[in-house]
Amino acid sequence: MNYQSLANPSVLTQPVYEPGKPIEYVARELGLDAEEIIKLASNENPFGPSPLAVAAAKRALDRGQLYPDGGCFELRQKLAAVHGLALDQFVVGNGSNEIIELLGHVFLRPGDEVVMAAPAFVVYKLVTLLFGAKAIEVPLRDWRHDLPRMAAAITPRTKLVCVCSPNNPTGTANTEAELLAFAQSLPNHVVGVFDEAYADFLEAPPDLRPVIRAGRNVICLRTFSKIHGLASLRVGFGYAAAELCALLNRVRQPFNVNAIAQAAALAALDDREFTAKCATGNRAGLEQLMAGCRELHLETVPSVANFLLIKVGDGARVFDALQRRGIIVRPVKSYDLPEWIRVTVGTREQNRRLLENLPAALR
Ligand SMILES: *Cc1c(COP(=O)(O)O)cnc(C)c1O
């Protein structure tokens, strides 16, 4: 049987996402004690999950025999109250990554174009290619999205434009004024996708709700994976015009977000104390890492997210050397940054361990 000849052509050329290595995997591979390993590779929350979310998730398990609310009614109701939009302006996904895929289902066909920055979060490109569409990549300028060039890259075939601010893997952000002007300038045949996964770490997150209210084709994406510490539960959401949310809801699985995740996310929205602690801890950690790198004469890209790009020379080699020392970071060769590693901001102690081990790993 030749399965390849039966497969969709776009599947055969589809690149594979490379996730950060799980702790247990590295422990097995290198014969290390899993307890001793720290993972600073996937921008996970070093302060753990929101405690209120954990308590709610445990309670929700007792009703595990029931299908979840496929419409995520309660969660959307709370999101609507928190964000000052209507209930039907939210779509909830199995992580915000699912919503990127749903955008592909709704809008992309072979031959369509998606404009994105390079390097930017790789999932935009993966989804684009999966639907046989073409990724139009616009290089960053001074490490930030070059929005005028991205606007100039739009053609009649463009369906989506993806903007990630703060951007992964660089940690850099565009200003609210830049983002608003860009969103307002988009032609009517293009949907602007604004990925706000790291907006919670900003002191003043940009507010794109005015352009949504004004009826522009804009969707903003948020996640519970980062500041709420719920990456394992897979829940994220988008907010946009009700009409766009209705289209996205049409193409998702009926029960795409499980009940444990819904309960946890709902409670996490109430846990302001936790998110405030994480934002403050993250800022202190960024300072600590940037100061440590300065002392080691290592170049960094000034970050406003919960991770930091560090120029180490041979990123793959330093990744490997750190891993042998029980510290998992992310090589970013696949983002065309072979001289850099991306390090998630950890706890004070984790950051200290990284900085302490860097000189030896560099040698
Ligand atoms: C981590 C991250 C997300 C979140 O993805 P989930 O599927 O919600 O876990 C989204 N966008 C970017 C750029 C990210 O780095």
Side-chain angles (χ1 to χ4, degrees):
M1 182 56 114
N2 181 358
Y3 288 107
Q4 300 232 336
S5 67
L6 301 175
N8 289 336
S10 65
V11 172
L12 301 179
T13 50
Q14 177 70 10
V16 176
Y17 180 79
E18 284 174 43
K21 284 200 182 182
I23 288 177
E24 293 70 24
Y25 187 100
V26 173
R28 268 197 307 274
E29 206 175 49
L30 299 177
L32 299 172
D33 179 358
E35 297 292 315
E36 296 293 308
I37 296 176
I38 55 176
K39 185 176 174 212
L40 302 174
S42 301
N43 305 340
E44 292 147 336
N45 195 325
F47 306 107
S50 146
L52 290 187
V54 172
K58 285 181 178 162
R59 288 194 298 275
L61 264 176
D62 287 335
R63 298 184 303 279
Q65 81 282 12
L66 300 175
Y67 277 102
D69 167 14
C72 294
F73 183 83
E74 257 193 290
L75 180 54
R76 285 191 299 132
Q77 196 173 43
K78 177 145 249 158
L79 288 169
V82 170
H83 292 276
L85 292 165
L87 185 86
D88 58 5
Q89 291 188 278
F90 291 87
V91 54
V92 187
N94 196 258
S96 56
N97 274 254
E98 186 193 16
I99 299 173
I100 304 170
E101 185 180 342
L102 298 181
L103 284 160
H105 276 293
V106 172
F107 293 108
L108 298 183
R109 296 213 291 182
D112 288 341
E113 294 175 357
V114 179
V115 174
M116 63 195 73
F121 190 42
V122 70
V123 173
Y124 315 136
K125 191 172 176 177
L126 296 183
V127 167
T128 299
L129 298 177
L130 189 59
F131 289 92
K134 196 170 162 199
I136 307 296
E137 299 186 90
V138 177
L140 301 178
R141 184 191 168 94
D142 298 331
W143 296 106
R144 301 184 321 132
H145 279 49
D146 188 347
L147 296 174
R149 264 195 74 188
M150 289 178 72
I154 292 172
T155 74
R157 311 193 81 160
T158 308
K159 285 296 192 63
L160 304 174
V161 177
C162 300
V163 175
C164 190
S165 181
N167 185 34
N168 180 2
T170 54
T172 48
N174 290 83
T175 67
E176 181 181 67
E178 289 168 346
L179 295 168
L180 282 172
F182 180 74
Q184 271 150 358
S185 78
L186 292 175
N188 284 331
H189 70 283
V190 173
V191 177
V193 181
F194 292 83
D195 191 336
E196 302 179 331
Y198 300 101
D200 299 302
F201 294 101
L202 299 173
E203 266 169 86
D207 183 1
L208 296 191
R209 287 171 300 176
V211 282
I212 293 175
R213 292 198 186 97
R216 307 300 309 188
N217 298 342
V218 161
I219 181 165
C220 298
L221 306 180
R222 295 271 180 126
T223 180
F224 285 91
S225 299
K226 307 284 155 65
I227 203 152
H228 299 290
L230 300 177
S232 79
L233 292 179
R234 313 303 305 122
V235 50
F237 64 95
Y239 55 99
E243 196 186 340
L244 173 50
C245 292
L247 287 172
L248 293 165
N249 274 314
R250 212 182 256 231
V251 296
R252 65 172 174 78
Q253 290 290 316
F255 303 109
N256 62 328
V257 183
N258 73 71
I260 319 299
Q262 288 185 42
L266 195 63
L269 287 172
D270 282 331
D271 207 344
R272 302 280 170 99
E273 198 185 316
F274 179 75
T275 48
K277 184 188 98 174
C278 294
T280 311
N282 181 66
R283 255 169 240 134
L286 264 180
E287 287 295 320
Q288 184 190 359
L289 285 177
M290 289 199 277
C293 288
R294 266 196 305 276
E295 262 177 46
L296 296 170
H297 304 291
L298 293 174
E299 189 185 336
T300 56
V301 176
S303 168
V304 290
N306 68 339
F307 54 88
L308 184 67
L309 273 184
I310 306 175
K311 194 172 187 180
V312 293
D314 185 342
R317 206 184 54 75
V318 173
F319 156 76
D320 201 57
L322 283 171
Q323 194 166 259
R324 282 170 202 289
R325 295 166 167 271
I327 303 169
I328 315 172
V329 300
R330 194 70 157 261
V332 277
K333 188 164 185 254
S334 60
Y335 283 103
D336 215 13
L337 297 167
E339 298 179 296
W340 301 74
I341 54 171
R342 194 194 67 193
V343 174
T344 303
V345 178
T347 61
R348 199 172 164 69
E349 171 57 22
Q350 291 173 338
N351 299 331
R352 194 196 56 72
R353 236 182 96 187
L354 172 82
L355 291 169
E356 186 181 271
N357 280 279
L358 256 178
L362 286 160
R363 259 180 249 129

